[in-house]
Amino acid sequence: MVKVLVGPDTDDLAQLYAAPADPWLRVNMVETLDGAATGDSGRSGSINNAADQVVYHQLRALADAIVVGAGTARIEGYAPVDRPTVVVSRQGHVPDRLRGGTPGAVLLATCAAAELLDEARALLGDEQVLVLGSHRVDLAVLKQTLVERGLTQLLCEGGPHLLRDLVADGVADELCATIVPRLVGGDRPRITQGPPVDVPLRLHLLLEAEGTLLGRWLVSR
Ligand SMILES: NC(=O)c1ccc[n+]([C@@H]2O[C@H](COP(=O)([O-])OP(=O)(O)OC[C@H]3O[C@@H](n4cnc5c(N)ncnc54)[C@H](OP(=O)(O)O)[C@@H]3O)[C@@H](O)[C@H]2O)c1
């Protein structure tokens, strides 16, 4: 049973998570109440729960493409899905399980200096390898490039370094974050990792389901 704490009074999840504009880039993350982005397994699967999964699948259903950092795709074992997966990798690495799928199912966003550029082109085809900068991936150009390909509703599923860079570069429009009612301690990553940022967010929606808080925060501009 989902209770709406902040936001419109509806039980229609698709409506609750509708993007307010097009194009739109949202990032979806899960964390524990003590701020961990992973549990025992070193993956998010060991901290997420049923309520988070419902929203995770709803957000995927609303997206034209999934954007993911190469680290997350490698660790979480991403495989092709029913819409394009865009992997962001500085070194130009195509994660193992994203190789050999249907042509066009996987795109790679990388930079000219990437040491694995030739391998990536051979694996995915030239059209699917987006070179967006000389020594770093320009994330604003990535968003624009995907929009020009008709992929306007973008869902980024992390990880923490990519989320940090997207907000630092002013490219993310929204953060969806699930806070699961657990404490795990330990030395775990947070949902943002990397150099400091300070990005104000505005609460747009807050749902509660059996103690789990599911929020939408819009990036203030
Ligand atoms: N709690 C959650 O919701 C959630 C979500 C996702 C992931 N995670 C967890 O987070 C951990 C992974 O963390 P992470 O921070 O390493 O993930 P990440 O941001 O997905 O991966 C970092 C790697 O992705 C590429 N990358 C990220 N940002 C980039 C940028 N701006 N430009 C170019 N390449 C970029 C680079 O790949 P190359 O090394 O190939 O150059 C970089 O080494 C895993 O344990 C995963 O399970 C948790």
Side-chain angles (χ1 to χ4, degrees), residues 23 25 64-65 67 84 86-88 107-110 126-133 136-154 171:
L25 188 152
D64 295 329
V67 179
V86 183
V87 179
V88 183
L107 286 81
L108 182 80
T110 189
D126 290 359
E127 277 291 294
Q128 311 307 323
V129 177
L130 311 173
V131 177
L132 307 171
R136 65 181 290 272
V137 178
D138 185 325
L139 296 171
V141 175
L142 169 60
K143 186 176 176 182
Q144 186 56 34
T145 302
L146 296 176
V147 168
E148 284 163 9
R149 290 185 175 218
L151 306 170
T152 59
Q153 292 294 315
L154 301 170
V171 177

PDB file of all heavy atoms in Angstrom, residues 23 25 64-65 67 84 86-88 107-110 126-133 136-154 171:
ATOM      1  N   PRO A  23      12.931  17.424 -23.287  1.00  0.00           N
ATOM      2  CA  PRO A  23      13.616  16.274 -22.690  1.00  0.00           C
ATOM      3  C   PRO A  23      13.749  16.373 -21.161  1.00  0.00           C
ATOM      4  O   PRO A  23      13.575  17.456 -20.586  1.00  0.00           O
ATOM      5  CB  PRO A  23      14.988  16.315 -23.358  1.00  0.00           C
ATOM      6  CG  PRO A  23      15.185  17.742 -23.744  1.00  0.00           C
ATOM      7  CD  PRO A  23      13.840  18.290 -24.065  1.00  0.00           C
ATOM      8  N   LEU A  25      16.085  14.323 -17.827  1.00  0.00           N
ATOM      9  CA  LEU A  25      17.024  13.293 -17.378  1.00  0.00           C
ATOM     10  C   LEU A  25      16.898  13.129 -15.869  1.00  0.00           C
ATOM     11  O   LEU A  25      17.109  14.088 -15.120  1.00  0.00           O
ATOM     12  CB  LEU A  25      18.467  13.654 -17.746  1.00  0.00           C
ATOM     13  CG  LEU A  25      19.497  12.536 -17.492  1.00  0.00           C
ATOM     14  CD1 LEU A  25      20.677  12.665 -18.462  1.00  0.00           C
ATOM     15  CD2 LEU A  25      20.021  12.516 -16.064  1.00  0.00           C
ATOM     16  N   ASP A  64      12.991   6.353 -22.399  1.00  0.00           N
ATOM     17  CA  ASP A  64      13.371   5.971 -23.774  1.00  0.00           C
ATOM     18  C   ASP A  64      14.698   5.224 -23.776  1.00  0.00           C
ATOM     19  O   ASP A  64      14.968   4.449 -24.696  1.00  0.00           O
ATOM     20  CB  ASP A  64      13.538   7.218 -24.641  1.00  0.00           C
ATOM     21  CG  ASP A  64      12.224   7.966 -24.836  1.00  0.00           C
ATOM     22  OD1 ASP A  64      11.166   7.310 -24.844  1.00  0.00           O
ATOM     23  OD2 ASP A  64      12.274   9.203 -24.963  1.00  0.00           O
ATOM     24  N   ALA A  65      15.556   5.526 -22.809  1.00  0.00           N
ATOM     25  CA  ALA A  65      16.868   4.888 -22.752  1.00  0.00           C
ATOM     26  C   ALA A  65      17.357   4.883 -21.305  1.00  0.00           C
ATOM     27  O   ALA A  65      16.985   5.749 -20.505  1.00  0.00           O
ATOM     28  CB  ALA A  65      17.874   5.641 -23.625  1.00  0.00           C
ATOM     29  N   VAL A  67      20.706   5.142 -18.991  1.00  0.00           N
ATOM     30  CA  VAL A  67      22.096   5.611 -18.978  1.00  0.00           C
ATOM     31  C   VAL A  67      22.746   5.064 -17.715  1.00  0.00           C
ATOM     32  O   VAL A  67      22.176   5.176 -16.623  1.00  0.00           O
ATOM     33  CB  VAL A  67      22.155   7.160 -18.987  1.00  0.00           C
ATOM     34  CG1 VAL A  67      23.593   7.648 -18.946  1.00  0.00           C
ATOM     35  CG2 VAL A  67      21.419   7.719 -20.203  1.00  0.00           C
ATOM     36  N   PRO A  84      17.273   1.080 -25.405  1.00  0.00           N
ATOM     37  CA  PRO A  84      18.727   1.238 -25.461  1.00  0.00           C
ATOM     38  C   PRO A  84      19.365   1.459 -24.087  1.00  0.00           C
ATOM     39  O   PRO A  84      18.817   2.187 -23.246  1.00  0.00           O
ATOM     40  CB  PRO A  84      18.914   2.465 -26.357  1.00  0.00           C
ATOM     41  CG  PRO A  84      17.661   2.553 -27.166  1.00  0.00           C
ATOM     42  CD  PRO A  84      16.568   2.033 -26.292  1.00  0.00           C
ATOM     43  N   VAL A  86      22.764   3.014 -22.500  1.00  0.00           N
ATOM     44  CA  VAL A  86      23.879   3.900 -22.842  1.00  0.00           C
ATOM     45  C   VAL A  86      24.900   3.803 -21.708  1.00  0.00           C
ATOM     46  O   VAL A  86      24.624   4.220 -20.580  1.00  0.00           O
ATOM     47  CB  VAL A  86      23.405   5.358 -22.999  1.00  0.00           C
ATOM     48  CG1 VAL A  86      24.552   6.253 -23.431  1.00  0.00           C
ATOM     49  CG2 VAL A  86      22.220   5.446 -23.963  1.00  0.00           C
ATOM     50  N   VAL A  87      26.065   3.235 -22.010  1.00  0.00           N
ATOM     51  CA  VAL A  87      27.106   3.072 -20.997  1.00  0.00           C
ATOM     52  C   VAL A  87      28.067   4.247 -21.092  1.00  0.00           C
ATOM     53  O   VAL A  87      28.511   4.598 -22.196  1.00  0.00           O
ATOM     54  CB  VAL A  87      27.885   1.760 -21.223  1.00  0.00           C
ATOM     55  CG1 VAL A  87      28.981   1.597 -20.175  1.00  0.00           C
ATOM     56  CG2 VAL A  87      26.942   0.573 -21.200  1.00  0.00           C
ATOM     57  N   VAL A  88      28.391   4.850 -19.958  1.00  0.00           N
ATOM     58  CA  VAL A  88      29.350   5.957 -19.924  1.00  0.00           C
ATOM     59  C   VAL A  88      30.671   5.415 -19.390  1.00  0.00           C
ATOM     60  O   VAL A  88      30.719   4.889 -18.276  1.00  0.00           O
ATOM     61  CB  VAL A  88      28.834   7.114 -19.030  1.00  0.00           C
ATOM     62  CG1 VAL A  88      29.802   8.293 -19.065  1.00  0.00           C
ATOM     63  CG2 VAL A  88      27.437   7.551 -19.464  1.00  0.00           C
ATOM     64  N   LEU A 107      24.708   1.524 -26.499  1.00  0.00           N
ATOM     65  CA  LEU A 107      25.534   2.632 -26.972  1.00  0.00           C
ATOM     66  C   LEU A 107      26.617   2.864 -25.937  1.00  0.00           C
ATOM     67  O   LEU A 107      26.406   2.607 -24.741  1.00  0.00           O
ATOM     68  CB  LEU A 107      24.718   3.908 -27.129  1.00  0.00           C
ATOM     69  CG  LEU A 107      23.754   4.011 -28.307  1.00  0.00           C
ATOM     70  CD1 LEU A 107      22.456   3.294 -28.027  1.00  0.00           C
ATOM     71  CD2 LEU A 107      23.458   5.488 -28.595  1.00  0.00           C
ATOM     72  N   LEU A 108      27.742   3.374 -26.377  1.00  0.00           N
ATOM     73  CA  LEU A 108      28.823   3.707 -25.457  1.00  0.00           C
ATOM     74  C   LEU A 108      29.153   5.183 -25.613  1.00  0.00           C
ATOM     75  O   LEU A 108      29.393   5.655 -26.730  1.00  0.00           O
ATOM     76  CB  LEU A 108      30.066   2.872 -25.774  1.00  0.00           C
ATOM     77  CG  LEU A 108      31.238   3.131 -24.827  1.00  0.00           C
ATOM     78  CD1 LEU A 108      31.062   2.371 -23.516  1.00  0.00           C
ATOM     79  CD2 LEU A 108      32.566   2.751 -25.467  1.00  0.00           C
ATOM     80  N   ALA A 109      29.146   5.911 -24.487  1.00  0.00           N
ATOM     81  CA  ALA A 109      29.577   7.312 -24.492  1.00  0.00           C
ATOM     82  C   ALA A 109      30.975   7.369 -23.916  1.00  0.00           C
ATOM     83  O   ALA A 109      31.203   6.948 -22.779  1.00  0.00           O
ATOM     84  CB  ALA A 109      28.621   8.158 -23.664  1.00  0.00           C
ATOM     85  N   THR A 110      31.919   7.867 -24.715  1.00  0.00           N
ATOM     86  CA  THR A 110      33.301   7.867 -24.259  1.00  0.00           C
ATOM     87  C   THR A 110      34.018   9.090 -24.821  1.00  0.00           C
ATOM     88  O   THR A 110      33.362  10.025 -25.304  1.00  0.00           O
ATOM     89  CB  THR A 110      33.984   6.532 -24.642  1.00  0.00           C
ATOM     90  OG1 THR A 110      35.260   6.463 -24.019  1.00  0.00           O
ATOM     91  CG2 THR A 110      34.131   6.352 -26.151  1.00  0.00           C
ATOM     92  N   ASP A 126      30.452   1.624 -35.290  1.00  0.00           N
ATOM     93  CA  ASP A 126      30.842   3.034 -35.167  1.00  0.00           C
ATOM     94  C   ASP A 126      29.689   3.938 -34.712  1.00  0.00           C
ATOM     95  O   ASP A 126      29.863   4.850 -33.915  1.00  0.00           O
ATOM     96  CB  ASP A 126      31.358   3.561 -36.514  1.00  0.00           C
ATOM     97  CG  ASP A 126      32.714   2.952 -36.867  1.00  0.00           C
ATOM     98  OD1 ASP A 126      33.236   2.155 -36.060  1.00  0.00           O
ATOM     99  OD2 ASP A 126      33.226   3.269 -37.951  1.00  0.00           O
ATOM    100  N   GLU A 127      28.507   3.667 -35.246  1.00  0.00           N
ATOM    101  CA  GLU A 127      27.335   4.520 -34.958  1.00  0.00           C
ATOM    102  C   GLU A 127      26.948   4.507 -33.482  1.00  0.00           C
ATOM    103  O   GLU A 127      26.321   5.437 -32.985  1.00  0.00           O
ATOM    104  CB  GLU A 127      26.130   4.017 -35.761  1.00  0.00           C
ATOM    105  CG  GLU A 127      26.080   4.505 -37.179  1.00  0.00           C
ATOM    106  CD  GLU A 127      25.793   6.000 -37.215  1.00  0.00           C
ATOM    107  OE1 GLU A 127      24.680   6.379 -36.821  1.00  0.00           O
ATOM    108  OE2 GLU A 127      26.681   6.769 -37.611  1.00  0.00           O
ATOM    109  N   GLN A 128      27.292   3.411 -32.814  1.00  0.00           N
ATOM    110  CA  GLN A 128      26.864   3.250 -31.415  1.00  0.00           C
ATOM    111  C   GLN A 128      27.913   3.734 -30.423  1.00  0.00           C
ATOM    112  O   GLN A 128      27.692   3.667 -29.220  1.00  0.00           O
ATOM    113  CB  GLN A 128      26.533   1.771 -31.113  1.00  0.00           C
ATOM    114  CG  GLN A 128      25.628   1.109 -32.121  1.00  0.00           C
ATOM    115  CD  GLN A 128      24.339   1.887 -32.353  1.00  0.00           C
ATOM    116  OE1 GLN A 128      23.773   2.462 -31.428  1.00  0.00           O
ATOM    117  NE2 GLN A 128      23.874   1.919 -33.588  1.00  0.00           N
ATOM    118  N   VAL A 129      29.052   4.172 -30.927  1.00  0.00           N
ATOM    119  CA  VAL A 129      30.104   4.670 -30.034  1.00  0.00           C
ATOM    120  C   VAL A 129      30.146   6.187 -30.164  1.00  0.00           C
ATOM    121  O   VAL A 129      30.485   6.729 -31.217  1.00  0.00           O
ATOM    122  CB  VAL A 129      31.472   4.030 -30.373  1.00  0.00           C
ATOM    123  CG1 VAL A 129      32.568   4.615 -29.481  1.00  0.00           C
ATOM    124  CG2 VAL A 129      31.390   2.514 -30.196  1.00  0.00           C
ATOM    125  N   LEU A 130      29.772   6.862 -29.102  1.00  0.00           N
ATOM    126  CA  LEU A 130      29.660   8.319 -29.120  1.00  0.00           C
ATOM    127  C   LEU A 130      30.920   8.911 -28.484  1.00  0.00           C
ATOM    128  O   LEU A 130      31.171   8.700 -27.293  1.00  0.00           O
ATOM    129  CB  LEU A 130      28.419   8.765 -28.335  1.00  0.00           C
ATOM    130  CG  LEU A 130      27.107   8.027 -28.686  1.00  0.00           C
ATOM    131  CD1 LEU A 130      25.992   8.428 -27.726  1.00  0.00           C
ATOM    132  CD2 LEU A 130      26.717   8.324 -30.122  1.00  0.00           C
ATOM    133  N   VAL A 131      31.706   9.603 -29.287  1.00  0.00           N
ATOM    134  CA  VAL A 131      32.931  10.225 -28.771  1.00  0.00           C
ATOM    135  C   VAL A 131      32.581  11.671 -28.444  1.00  0.00           C
ATOM    136  O   VAL A 131      32.361  12.492 -29.338  1.00  0.00           O
ATOM    137  CB  VAL A 131      34.076  10.125 -29.797  1.00  0.00           C
ATOM    138  CG1 VAL A 131      35.319  10.828 -29.274  1.00  0.00           C
ATOM    139  CG2 VAL A 131      34.379   8.652 -30.083  1.00  0.00           C
ATOM    140  N   LEU A 132      32.534  11.974 -27.157  1.00  0.00           N
ATOM    141  CA  LEU A 132      31.943  13.244 -26.707  1.00  0.00           C
ATOM    142  C   LEU A 132      32.934  14.022 -25.849  1.00  0.00           C
ATOM    143  O   LEU A 132      32.687  14.274 -24.671  1.00  0.00           O
ATOM    144  CB  LEU A 132      30.657  12.952 -25.921  1.00  0.00           C
ATOM    145  CG  LEU A 132      29.630  12.069 -26.646  1.00  0.00           C
ATOM    146  CD1 LEU A 132      28.505  11.677 -25.706  1.00  0.00           C
ATOM    147  CD2 LEU A 132      29.074  12.787 -27.875  1.00  0.00           C
ATOM    148  N   GLY A 133      34.065  14.341 -26.422  1.00  0.00           N
ATOM    149  CA  GLY A 133      35.086  15.076 -25.691  1.00  0.00           C
ATOM    150  C   GLY A 133      36.438  14.465 -25.966  1.00  0.00           C
ATOM    151  O   GLY A 133      36.522  13.349 -26.486  1.00  0.00           O
ATOM    152  N   ARG A 136      37.601  13.727 -21.531  1.00  0.00           N
ATOM    153  CA  ARG A 136      36.495  13.384 -20.623  1.00  0.00           C
ATOM    154  C   ARG A 136      35.211  13.389 -21.411  1.00  0.00           C
ATOM    155  O   ARG A 136      35.138  14.007 -22.492  1.00  0.00           O
ATOM    156  CB  ARG A 136      36.413  14.357 -19.433  1.00  0.00           C
ATOM    157  CG  ARG A 136      36.060  15.783 -19.803  1.00  0.00           C
ATOM    158  CD  ARG A 136      36.034  16.680 -18.580  1.00  0.00           C
ATOM    159  NE  ARG A 136      34.910  16.379 -17.699  1.00  0.00           N
ATOM    160  CZ  ARG A 136      33.702  16.928 -17.819  1.00  0.00           C
ATOM    161  NH1 ARG A 136      33.443  17.804 -18.777  1.00  0.00           N
ATOM    162  NH2 ARG A 136      32.739  16.619 -16.977  1.00  0.00           N
ATOM    163  N   VAL A 137      34.201  12.696 -20.883  1.00  0.00           N
ATOM    164  CA  VAL A 137      32.907  12.669 -21.555  1.00  0.00           C
ATOM    165  C   VAL A 137      32.149  13.929 -21.162  1.00  0.00           C
ATOM    166  O   VAL A 137      31.943  14.183 -19.965  1.00  0.00           O
ATOM    167  CB  VAL A 137      32.105  11.411 -21.157  1.00  0.00           C
ATOM    168  CG1 VAL A 137      30.739  11.419 -21.823  1.00  0.00           C
ATOM    169  CG2 VAL A 137      32.882  10.153 -21.520  1.00  0.00           C
ATOM    170  N   ASP A 138      31.750  14.709 -22.158  1.00  0.00           N
ATOM    171  CA  ASP A 138      30.952  15.905 -21.895  1.00  0.00           C
ATOM    172  C   ASP A 138      29.503  15.453 -21.714  1.00  0.00           C
ATOM    173  O   ASP A 138      28.822  15.078 -22.672  1.00  0.00           O
ATOM    174  CB  ASP A 138      31.101  16.875 -23.074  1.00  0.00           C
ATOM    175  CG  ASP A 138      30.399  18.203 -22.801  1.00  0.00           C
ATOM    176  OD1 ASP A 138      29.340  18.188 -22.142  1.00  0.00           O
ATOM    177  OD2 ASP A 138      30.921  19.240 -23.241  1.00  0.00           O
ATOM    178  N   LEU A 139      29.038  15.494 -20.478  1.00  0.00           N
ATOM    179  CA  LEU A 139      27.724  14.914 -20.174  1.00  0.00           C
ATOM    180  C   LEU A 139      26.577  15.756 -20.736  1.00  0.00           C
ATOM    181  O   LEU A 139      25.516  15.214 -21.069  1.00  0.00           O
ATOM    182  CB  LEU A 139      27.589  14.705 -18.663  1.00  0.00           C
ATOM    183  CG  LEU A 139      28.596  13.690 -18.087  1.00  0.00           C
ATOM    184  CD1 LEU A 139      28.558  13.700 -16.564  1.00  0.00           C
ATOM    185  CD2 LEU A 139      28.326  12.281 -18.622  1.00  0.00           C
ATOM    186  N   ALA A 140      26.785  17.074 -20.853  1.00  0.00           N
ATOM    187  CA  ALA A 140      25.748  17.913 -21.476  1.00  0.00           C
ATOM    188  C   ALA A 140      25.610  17.554 -22.954  1.00  0.00           C
ATOM    189  O   ALA A 140      24.495  17.474 -23.494  1.00  0.00           O
ATOM    190  CB  ALA A 140      26.093  19.392 -21.303  1.00  0.00           C
ATOM    191  N   VAL A 141      26.742  17.317 -23.605  1.00  0.00           N
ATOM    192  CA  VAL A 141      26.707  16.923 -25.017  1.00  0.00           C
ATOM    193  C   VAL A 141      26.095  15.524 -25.150  1.00  0.00           C
ATOM    194  O   VAL A 141      25.364  15.240 -26.105  1.00  0.00           O
ATOM    195  CB  VAL A 141      28.120  16.999 -25.643  1.00  0.00           C
ATOM    196  CG1 VAL A 141      28.106  16.481 -27.068  1.00  0.00           C
ATOM    197  CG2 VAL A 141      28.628  18.438 -25.616  1.00  0.00           C
ATOM    198  N   LEU A 142      26.356  14.667 -24.178  1.00  0.00           N
ATOM    199  CA  LEU A 142      25.732  13.330 -24.205  1.00  0.00           C
ATOM    200  C   LEU A 142      24.205  13.462 -24.200  1.00  0.00           C
ATOM    201  O   LEU A 142      23.510  12.855 -25.018  1.00  0.00           O
ATOM    202  CB  LEU A 142      26.190  12.498 -22.993  1.00  0.00           C
ATOM    203  CG  LEU A 142      25.412  11.195 -22.772  1.00  0.00           C
ATOM    204  CD1 LEU A 142      25.525  10.268 -23.981  1.00  0.00           C
ATOM    205  CD2 LEU A 142      25.888  10.482 -21.506  1.00  0.00           C
ATOM    206  N   LYS A 143      23.703  14.282 -23.291  1.00  0.00           N
ATOM    207  CA  LYS A 143      22.242  14.449 -23.215  1.00  0.00           C
ATOM    208  C   LYS A 143      21.698  14.969 -24.551  1.00  0.00           C
ATOM    209  O   LYS A 143      20.724  14.427 -25.096  1.00  0.00           O
ATOM    210  CB  LYS A 143      21.906  15.418 -22.076  1.00  0.00           C
ATOM    211  CG  LYS A 143      20.429  15.585 -21.794  1.00  0.00           C
ATOM    212  CD  LYS A 143      20.273  16.496 -20.590  1.00  0.00           C
ATOM    213  CE  LYS A 143      18.851  16.822 -20.244  1.00  0.00           C
ATOM    214  NZ  LYS A 143      18.780  17.754 -19.099  1.00  0.00           N
ATOM    215  N   GLN A 144      22.354  15.972 -25.103  1.00  0.00           N
ATOM    216  CA  GLN A 144      21.906  16.573 -26.356  1.00  0.00           C
ATOM    217  C   GLN A 144      21.970  15.563 -27.506  1.00  0.00           C
ATOM    218  O   GLN A 144      21.064  15.482 -28.348  1.00  0.00           O
ATOM    219  CB  GLN A 144      22.755  17.813 -26.667  1.00  0.00           C
ATOM    220  CG  GLN A 144      22.289  18.606 -27.865  1.00  0.00           C
ATOM    221  CD  GLN A 144      20.836  19.051 -27.742  1.00  0.00           C
ATOM    222  OE1 GLN A 144      20.347  19.347 -26.641  1.00  0.00           O
ATOM    223  NE2 GLN A 144      20.120  19.057 -28.863  1.00  0.00           N
ATOM    224  N   THR A 145      23.024  14.766 -27.521  1.00  0.00           N
ATOM    225  CA  THR A 145      23.196  13.764 -28.586  1.00  0.00           C
ATOM    226  C   THR A 145      22.083  12.718 -28.529  1.00  0.00           C
ATOM    227  O   THR A 145      21.532  12.315 -29.567  1.00  0.00           O
ATOM    228  CB  THR A 145      24.579  13.078 -28.434  1.00  0.00           C
ATOM    229  OG1 THR A 145      25.581  14.087 -28.492  1.00  0.00           O
ATOM    230  CG2 THR A 145      24.819  12.052 -29.518  1.00  0.00           C
ATOM    231  N   LEU A 146      21.733  12.296 -27.322  1.00  0.00           N
ATOM    232  CA  LEU A 146      20.664  11.301 -27.186  1.00  0.00           C
ATOM    233  C   LEU A 146      19.322  11.908 -27.590  1.00  0.00           C
ATOM    234  O   LEU A 146      18.512  11.263 -28.268  1.00  0.00           O
ATOM    235  CB  LEU A 146      20.622  10.756 -25.756  1.00  0.00           C
ATOM    236  CG  LEU A 146      21.890   9.984 -25.330  1.00  0.00           C
ATOM    237  CD1 LEU A 146      21.795   9.560 -23.868  1.00  0.00           C
ATOM    238  CD2 LEU A 146      22.115   8.759 -26.219  1.00  0.00           C
ATOM    239  N   VAL A 147      19.100  13.147 -27.213  1.00  0.00           N
ATOM    240  CA  VAL A 147      17.858  13.837 -27.597  1.00  0.00           C
ATOM    241  C   VAL A 147      17.754  13.899 -29.122  1.00  0.00           C
ATOM    242  O   VAL A 147      16.686  13.633 -29.698  1.00  0.00           O
ATOM    243  CB  VAL A 147      17.808  15.243 -26.953  1.00  0.00           C
ATOM    244  CG1 VAL A 147      16.695  16.083 -27.558  1.00  0.00           C
ATOM    245  CG2 VAL A 147      17.627  15.122 -25.443  1.00  0.00           C
ATOM    246  N   GLU A 148      18.873  14.211 -29.781  1.00  0.00           N
ATOM    247  CA  GLU A 148      18.861  14.297 -31.256  1.00  0.00           C
ATOM    248  C   GLU A 148      18.592  12.943 -31.897  1.00  0.00           C
ATOM    249  O   GLU A 148      18.143  12.863 -33.037  1.00  0.00           O
ATOM    250  CB  GLU A 148      20.192  14.879 -31.745  1.00  0.00           C
ATOM    251  CG  GLU A 148      20.269  16.379 -31.524  1.00  0.00           C
ATOM    252  CD  GLU A 148      21.687  16.939 -31.614  1.00  0.00           C
ATOM    253  OE1 GLU A 148      22.595  16.190 -32.023  1.00  0.00           O
ATOM    254  OE2 GLU A 148      21.869  18.123 -31.267  1.00  0.00           O
ATOM    255  N   ARG A 149      18.832  11.877 -31.155  1.00  0.00           N
ATOM    256  CA  ARG A 149      18.505  10.536 -31.662  1.00  0.00           C
ATOM    257  C   ARG A 149      17.085  10.106 -31.288  1.00  0.00           C
ATOM    258  O   ARG A 149      16.707   8.952 -31.453  1.00  0.00           O
ATOM    259  CB  ARG A 149      19.501   9.519 -31.115  1.00  0.00           C
ATOM    260  CG  ARG A 149      20.898   9.669 -31.714  1.00  0.00           C
ATOM    261  CD  ARG A 149      21.832   8.570 -31.250  1.00  0.00           C
ATOM    262  NE  ARG A 149      23.113   8.665 -31.930  1.00  0.00           N
ATOM    263  CZ  ARG A 149      23.842   7.621 -32.339  1.00  0.00           C
ATOM    264  NH1 ARG A 149      23.416   6.397 -32.100  1.00  0.00           N
ATOM    265  NH2 ARG A 149      24.981   7.793 -32.956  1.00  0.00           N
ATOM    266  N   GLY A 150      16.339  11.049 -30.709  1.00  0.00           N
ATOM    267  CA  GLY A 150      14.949  10.757 -30.360  1.00  0.00           C
ATOM    268  C   GLY A 150      14.782  10.141 -28.981  1.00  0.00           C
ATOM    269  O   GLY A 150      13.684   9.732 -28.600  1.00  0.00           O
ATOM    270  N   LEU A 151      15.870  10.081 -28.217  1.00  0.00           N
ATOM    271  CA  LEU A 151      15.815   9.515 -26.861  1.00  0.00           C
ATOM    272  C   LEU A 151      15.726  10.688 -25.892  1.00  0.00           C
ATOM    273  O   LEU A 151      16.746  11.239 -25.476  1.00  0.00           O
ATOM    274  CB  LEU A 151      17.057   8.650 -26.606  1.00  0.00           C
ATOM    275  CG  LEU A 151      17.302   7.551 -27.650  1.00  0.00           C
ATOM    276  CD1 LEU A 151      18.669   6.904 -27.459  1.00  0.00           C
ATOM    277  CD2 LEU A 151      16.193   6.490 -27.578  1.00  0.00           C
ATOM    278  N   THR A 152      14.523  11.096 -25.573  1.00  0.00           N
ATOM    279  CA  THR A 152      14.358  12.350 -24.828  1.00  0.00           C
ATOM    280  C   THR A 152      14.044  12.139 -23.343  1.00  0.00           C
ATOM    281  O   THR A 152      14.322  13.001 -22.530  1.00  0.00           O
ATOM    282  CB  THR A 152      13.244  13.211 -25.458  1.00  0.00           C
ATOM    283  OG1 THR A 152      12.019  12.475 -25.439  1.00  0.00           O
ATOM    284  CG2 THR A 152      13.586  13.581 -26.902  1.00  0.00           C
ATOM    285  N   GLN A 153      13.474  10.990 -23.021  1.00  0.00           N
ATOM    286  CA  GLN A 153      13.199  10.683 -21.614  1.00  0.00           C
ATOM    287  C   GLN A 153      14.287   9.724 -21.147  1.00  0.00           C
ATOM    288  O   GLN A 153      14.289   8.535 -21.492  1.00  0.00           O
ATOM    289  CB  GLN A 153      11.809  10.067 -21.455  1.00  0.00           C
ATOM    290  CG  GLN A 153      10.678  11.050 -21.740  1.00  0.00           C
ATOM    291  CD  GLN A 153      10.620  12.182 -20.710  1.00  0.00           C
ATOM    292  OE1 GLN A 153      10.723  11.955 -19.502  1.00  0.00           O
ATOM    293  NE2 GLN A 153      10.457  13.414 -21.177  1.00  0.00           N
ATOM    294  N   LEU A 154      15.217  10.267 -20.362  1.00  0.00           N
ATOM    295  CA  LEU A 154      16.430   9.523 -20.019  1.00  0.00           C
ATOM    296  C   LEU A 154      16.424   9.152 -18.543  1.00  0.00           C
ATOM    297  O   LEU A 154      16.156   9.992 -17.679  1.00  0.00           O
ATOM    298  CB  LEU A 154      17.657  10.365 -20.349  1.00  0.00           C
ATOM    299  CG  LEU A 154      17.747  10.772 -21.833  1.00  0.00           C
ATOM    300  CD1 LEU A 154      18.840  11.808 -22.054  1.00  0.00           C
ATOM    301  CD2 LEU A 154      17.979   9.537 -22.706  1.00  0.00           C
ATOM    302  N   VAL A 171      23.473  18.634 -15.525  1.00  0.00           N
ATOM    303  CA  VAL A 171      22.816  17.862 -16.578  1.00  0.00           C
ATOM    304  C   VAL A 171      21.596  17.095 -16.052  1.00  0.00           C
ATOM    305  O   VAL A 171      20.648  16.849 -16.794  1.00  0.00           O
ATOM    306  CB  VAL A 171      23.841  16.891 -17.223  1.00  0.00           C
ATOM    307  CG1 VAL A 171      23.187  16.010 -18.262  1.00  0.00           C
ATOM    308  CG2 VAL A 171      24.978  17.684 -17.856  1.00  0.00           C
TER     309      VAL A 171
END
